[in-house]
Amino acid sequence: MRKSLIISLIFIVTGTLYAQIKPDTIAAYKTINGTELNMHIFFPTGHQMDEAKPAIVFFHGGGFKQGSPDHFYGQCRYLASRGMVAMSAQYRTEKSNGTTPVECIKDGKSAMRWVHVNAEKYGIDPQKILAGGGSAGGHIAASTAVLSGFNESGEDSTISCQPKALVLFNPVLNNGPDGYGYERVGEFYKHFSPHHNLSESAPPTLIMLGTEDRLFTPDMAKAYKTKMEHLGQRCDLLLYEGQGHAFFNRGQSEEMYYQTMIDADEFLISLGYLNGQPATIQSINEVHFKKKGNPFVKHLYTADPSAHVFNDRLYVYTSHDEDTATYFNMIDWHVFSTDNLIDWTDHGAILSLKDIDWANKWAWAPDCVEQNGKYYFYYPVERAKIGVAVSDTPTGPFVDELGEPLIDNTGQIEHIGKEPIDPSVLIEKGQAYLYFGCREPKVVKLKNNMMALKGDVQDLKIKGIEGDKEHFGGFYGEAPWVFKRNDTFYLLYSNGWGKTSTLVYATSKNPMGPFTFQGEVMDVVSSWTSHGSIVQFKGRWYVFYHNMDLSNNNYRRSVCFDELTFDENGKINKLKL
Ligand code: FUB
């Protein structure tokens, strides 16, 4: 399903997360019996009203009874990012207005006519107005194309309401005796059912349908396609194996939500309404932003940054604090990348608890390394287990190929520690070392396949740690991170929690230790957890860490970075914040 080409022109504005998708403008297209019906409009980036772009009007589903235009906000934003003026129309429903399907279709036709009349005002080519919809909304879209009645009284029915093409997400197009809802519409189906009103003027149509759809079955869709083709019209039918009705909604399946958008895009390219190439599922998830001070990620809460350079590009893997978190109840992990430290890409969630059969909660501090041409992503869950997922690229998607934890302290607390969290991996001369642990730092070698332990888990000794009295009393807290500079291994870690702890470091000539305590890496941050990583990029060193400056809440943290310098003896010059 995943495609390799990554196109980064999608969603170039910060903050395009689903919950935040909003139309660029809302305009009333009809007022009836005191009810104002609105068109929710999305423009392409930089759209000028003196342009003439193609447009598409979507109608939401809900069985003619309910629903709202925001159902199609995601599709609208996507198609706007591809160069169309995309709209989602409000129409009367049984729940909101006590109306019947007849009024829904009348509103659909009014909406299409309004776009036609206002094409010039909104920078739309009046010859390139399309329609789309889902379920009952697919019926409405098709109705604007093929049903002859259903015109609002008083409306100028000589104004075209016919779309030039239809993009239909499991539409319900057959209401005849063998179709859906015949018991509701009876013999009225002859006027109401799109299938029974097809003619040579029906526009090119894309139908996207789950094979398990029971409302508009694949057989009904095939019959519709056959009839269209007998009439000399194009009808593409895409069947999605194992999917039921409403499968294209984001709440049902992220993958289908994106895949149907991409498939719609390809259909629109084939008709000449879009140019270029569709996005990939991965690139749709991307958010592009510029660093403006610290925290540098502002559109979501992120913590526990682990930074690596792969092929000259810097990647920062983070955990993801929930917007309303009251504990570290995180559910997925993100990766951010840059090649200049200013322009950043959030590649979206690269792994989530729902992708891991054996893990239920607490998606905490991760790390990722490259070995043997693959990328291995190490992640702690449930404060008790560490898993490993694999990908061909640093941005995932990562797959839990092992299917079980790599580290699990169940029945092995003495050996593995009470809290095996915060994994990080160093590769030295081809050998991978896995560090982890809260309160008890541990290290273990990994086998060459990166998914099995080589030898026993060992305690990581920090000599002189008792000298670290200033903050937390000579203590190892969590977040071990080892990097090599010249011939020295540096162990970065948090020396506790609260207002007096920070990131400190110890050094060794051996990645297995023992390490010798050296001192502080930086000032105390605002959050009571400290977690970081140090990386060299383009000849300079940087420390990545998190604070809670954006939220003032310890469970809603944000990642930051600053340059770090060393003195002539290899000691870290403490970063002053
Ligand atoms: O993010 C959850 C936990 O908070 C991490 O595992 C710790 O290092 C601390 O940052």
Side-chain angles (χ1 to χ4, degrees):
M1 192 62 77
R2 188 172 160 271
K3 300 176 184 179
S4 58
L5 182 67
I6 296 177
I7 300 163
S8 52
L9 51 81
I10 312 301
F11 295 140
I12 19 191
V13 203
T14 297
T16 47
L17 301 177
Y18 179 65
Q20 299 163 345
I21 298 175
K22 292 270 182 281
D24 295 309
T25 190
I26 294 178
Y29 71 84
K30 174 175 180 176
T31 302
I32 181 128
N33 302 329
T35 300
E36 194 173 82
L37 299 174
N38 287 318
M39 192 68 89
H40 299 226
I41 309 174
F42 295 73
F43 295 113
T45 310
H47 181 63
Q48 303 293 323
M49 298 309 172
D50 58 1
E51 296 180 89
K53 296 234 168 80
I56 187 162
V57 183
F58 283 109
F59 299 95
H60 64 80
F64 303 107
K65 295 181 176 175
Q66 56 195 350
S68 61
D70 60 359
H71 288 186
F72 270 96
Y73 277 8
Q75 288 82 355
C76 284
R77 177 54 79 207
Y78 173 73
L79 289 175
S81 79
R82 293 278 293 123
M84 299 184 94
V85 177
M87 315 187 192
S88 188
Q90 177 191 10
Y91 59 86
R92 287 171 289 173
T93 61
E94 183 183 310
K95 197 167 166 196
S96 302
N97 311 88
T99 47
T100 73
V102 170
E103 284 73 38
C104 300
I105 297 172
K106 285 183 177 178
D107 292 345
K109 290 195 165 194
S110 304
M112 295 301 290
R113 290 192 174 111
W114 178 86
V115 178
H116 210 94
V117 169
N118 288 279
E120 200 175 330
K121 176 175 174 190
Y122 289 106
I124 291 168
D125 182 340
Q127 297 310 314
K128 294 182 178 172
I129 301 171
L130 324 180
S135 192
H139 182 294
I140 295 171
S143 299
T144 66
V146 303
L147 301 191
S148 56
F150 304 89
N151 296 302
E152 194 62 73
S153 67
E155 198 165 274
D156 183 353
S157 59
T158 61
I159 299 168
S160 173
C161 64
Q162 239 224 348
K164 295 288 188 224
L166 288 170
V167 175
L168 306 177
F169 300 78
N170 57 227
V172 181
L173 299 176
N174 186 336
N175 312 103
D178 299 324
Y180 180 78
Y182 177 68
E183 64 293 345
R184 266 165 89 191
V185 293
E187 287 307 293
F188 186 56
Y189 83 87
K190 290 174 186 155
H191 308 281
F192 180 76
S193 170
H195 178 104
H196 299 89
N197 287 277
L198 288 174
S199 70
E200 286 87 356
S201 65
T205 299
L206 170 66
I207 299 174
M208 294 173 281
L209 191 68
T211 57
E212 304 307 312
D213 200 309
R214 300 280 166 258
L215 273 57
F216 188 57
T217 63
D219 281 348
M220 291 180 203
K222 284 173 193 161
Y224 191 93
K225 176 179 167 68
T226 303
K227 191 167 179 186
M228 281 281 284
E229 287 170 352
H230 279 154
L231 291 164
Q233 297 305 339
R234 174 174 170 184
C235 182
D236 293 7
L237 173 60
L238 296 180
L239 293 174
Y240 299 81
E241 202 54 45
Q243 301 297 322
H245 197 68
F247 74 106
F248 68 97
N249 289 303
R250 190 172 196 178
Q252 300 280 328
S253 157
E254 290 253 325
E255 187 185 3
M256 288 297 120
Y257 167 74
Y258 292 128
Q259 191 58 51
T260 49
M261 277 196 241
I262 290 164
D263 291 339
D265 189 330
E266 274 166 359
F267 174 71
L268 296 172
I269 290 171
S270 76
L271 293 173
Y273 294 114
L274 291 179
N275 297 313
Q277 303 226 31
T280 62
I281 286 182
Q282 196 173 36
S283 66
I284 289 174
N285 269 317
E286 289 177 359
V287 177
H288 300 260
F289 62 96
K290 282 190 189 294
K291 180 186 189 217
K292 290 196 186 110
N294 271 322
F296 72 99
V297 177
K298 295 188 171 71
H299 61 282
L300 76 169
Y301 294 119
T302 49
D304 308 321
S306 77
H308 286 276
V309 176
F310 301 129
N311 298 323
D312 293 333
R313 193 169 173 87
L314 180 65
Y315 293 85
V316 182
Y317 296 84
T318 73
S319 52
H320 170 199
D321 287 347
E322 294 292 297
D323 286 357
T324 55
T326 52
Y327 181 61
F328 300 118
N329 48 0
M330 298 102 93
I331 55 177
D332 57 21
W333 296 272
H334 278 236
V335 63
F336 300 81
S337 76
T338 183
D339 59 10
N340 60 14
L341 298 175
I342 304 285
D343 300 292
W344 286 85
T345 300
D346 172 2
H347 298 274
I350 51 168
L351 187 70
S352 162
L353 289 177
K354 68 177 166 37
D355 306 320
I356 307 161
D357 290 343
W358 50 268
N360 292 312
K361 59 184 178 182
W362 301 339
W364 288 7
D367 191 23
C368 183
V369 285
E370 183 188 8
Q371 180 80 308
N372 310 322
K374 289 196 181 274
Y375 295 84
Y376 295 88
F377 182 75
Y378 297 85
Y379 54 91
V381 291
E382 301 178 359
R383 296 175 73 165
K385 300 167 191 164
I386 294 172
V388 53
V390 191
S391 173
D392 291 333
T393 75
T395 53
F398 286 87
V399 177
D400 172 37
E401 281 182 11
L402 196 56
E404 61 182 12
L406 173 67
I407 300 260
D408 183 350
N409 74 355
T410 315
Q412 296 199 71
I413 284 181
E414 223 167 274
H415 174 52
I416 287 185
K418 287 202 190 84
E419 213 173 319
I421 60 168
D422 297 355
S424 70
V425 177
L426 168 80
I427 297 181
E428 168 63 9
K429 299 197 173 115
Q431 174 61 58
Y433 299 84
L434 172 66
Y435 303 88
F436 64 91
C438 178
R439 294 184 179 82
E440 304 159 282
K442 303 281 181 180
V443 60
V444 63
K445 288 182 184 168
L446 296 177
K447 288 190 175 160
N448 195 37
N449 71 2
M450 301 296 279
M451 294 196 285
L453 306 186
K454 183 166 137 188
D456 288 338
V457 171
Q458 297 184 23
D459 290 335
L460 193 63
K461 300 233 164 40
I462 307 172
K463 294 194 290 182
I465 193 169
E466 58 284 353
D468 180 25
K469 294 244 182 284
E470 206 176 311
H471 298 292
F472 212 73
F475 188 68
Y476 164 87
E478 56 190 359
W481 171 270
V482 177
F483 67 95
K484 190 179 183 188
R485 182 175 180 271
N486 299 327
D487 62 347
T488 301
F489 296 93
Y490 290 70
L491 167 66
L492 171 76
Y493 63 94
S494 146
N495 65 356
W497 301 273
K499 291 185 178 151
T500 59
S501 66
T502 188
L503 290 173
V504 294
Y505 76 107
T507 56
S508 174
K509 296 291 177 197
N510 187 328
M512 297 291 280
F515 283 81
T516 303
F517 180 75
Q518 297 295 341
E520 296 163 2
V521 169
M522 59 187 289
D523 280 342
V524 174
V525 291
S526 55
S527 69
W528 61 263
T529 57
S530 298
H531 191 123
S533 57
I534 293 175
V535 70
Q536 188 178 26
F537 181 57
K538 298 192 192 267
R540 292 171 183 266
W541 290 87
Y542 298 91
V543 58
F544 283 76
Y545 56 96
H546 63 229
N547 65 25
M548 59 171 202
D549 286 5
L550 289 188
S551 68
N552 202 27
N553 182 315
N554 275 307
Y555 303 110
R556 303 172 204 169
R557 299 160 295 175
S558 304
V559 291
C560 309
F561 70 89
D562 282 296
E563 189 171 354
L564 196 68
T565 56
F566 295 78
D567 72 14
E568 63 280 9
N569 298 316
K571 290 221 166 208
I572 291 175
N573 294 319
K574 183 177 164 186
L575 174 68
K576 298 276 180 204
L577 294 175

